[in-house]
Amino acid sequence: MNTENSLLALQIDGQLTSTPKGTRLLGVLLANNINVLKACGGQGRCATCHVFIHKGMDSLTPPTEQELMTLSLMRIEQSNARLACQCMVLGSGVSLEVPKGKYVDSDTELESQVGKKAEQSLIHPITGEVLVYEGKLILRTALQKMQTATQEFEQEMKVYLTRNSKKEK
């Protein structure tokens, strides 16, 4: 049997699927119609494609330096977190969960929802942080949380970019 062309089994949110070896995990998610924002276009610079690996971490490529930096900057500190755009499937048995919710487009969009219950979790568009959980009342504190997360991210990126530009000189 030619294993070169065989498909590898994996599970996304409890649903079985398969993919060829070496496929980028983001491609698998998109091929399975999983709603992933991929705000940075798959460059590993945001966390909007992050997933949580429940089984089979060793069946994925190791984390890249970019991925580790982004997960750190975005404060996604679970050891099973990966950026789908930065890893490829190398073996069967991967089981993963995609964070559920809607990515908020802007402060204005979130502000227009204040006082209503969230029909689904609302997620920061850059950091992937949950701002309001499904079923909870959307408060002004969520708007403040979004603005603070954006400001902190921008500050950390400035520090990172300054540090890297000094290294290159």
Side-chain angles (χ1 to χ4, degrees):
M1 179 172 124
N2 184 355
T3 58
E4 200 71 25
N5 296 323
S6 61
L7 296 176
L8 304 172
L10 67 150
Q11 196 173 54
I12 304 170
D13 294 332
Q15 299 295 315
L16 288 175
T17 189
S18 60
T19 190
K21 182 178 182 176
T23 303
R24 194 159 303 277
L25 191 53
L26 180 58
V28 177
L29 296 176
L30 296 175
N32 283 275
N33 298 315
I34 305 295
N35 185 21
V36 181
L37 186 58
K38 62 187 184 346
C40 72
Q43 299 297 307
R45 295 189 177 122
C46 71
T48 59
C49 72
H50 78 278
V51 297
F52 299 106
I53 309 298
H54 295 298
K55 193 173 115 192
M57 187 72 83
D58 57 342
S59 293
L60 300 171
T61 53
T64 63
E65 201 173 306
Q66 177 69 45
E67 179 178 6
L68 293 173
M69 182 201 64
T70 298
L71 287 169
S72 173
L73 282 174
M74 302 306 180
R75 295 186 187 92
I76 300 172
E77 297 165 347
Q78 294 93 318
S79 61
N80 66 335
R82 294 295 308 265
L83 298 181
C85 69
Q86 295 296 296
C87 58
M88 290 187 261
V89 181
L90 301 178
S92 286
V94 175
S95 174
L96 64 97
E97 173 189 357
V98 178
K100 299 293 179 253
K102 176 188 182 306
Y103 287 95
V104 180
D105 290 329
S106 66
D107 292 358
T108 307
E109 179 189 359
L110 185 58
E111 191 168 22
S112 73
Q113 300 295 315
V114 169
K116 299 176 185 174
K117 278 196 174 184
E119 293 177 14
Q120 56 186 322
S121 293
L122 300 177
I123 303 171
H124 192 284
I126 299 171
T127 66
E129 177 183 1
V130 175
L131 300 167
V132 181
Y133 286 94
E134 180 179 349
K136 299 293 182 183
L137 192 61
I138 303 168
L139 303 172
R140 290 217 169 273
T141 54
L143 182 59
Q144 292 167 340
K145 186 177 179 181
M146 181 172 177
Q147 292 167 340
T148 299
T150 300
Q151 290 168 351
E152 288 174 356
F153 173 75
E154 289 171 352
Q155 287 287 27
E156 289 178 20
M157 283 306 293
K158 284 179 188 174
V159 169
Y160 171 76
L161 294 172
T162 301
R163 208 177 288 146
N164 277 351
S165 67
K166 287 179 181 177
K167 284 182 185 177
E168 291 174 3
K169 289 181 181 179

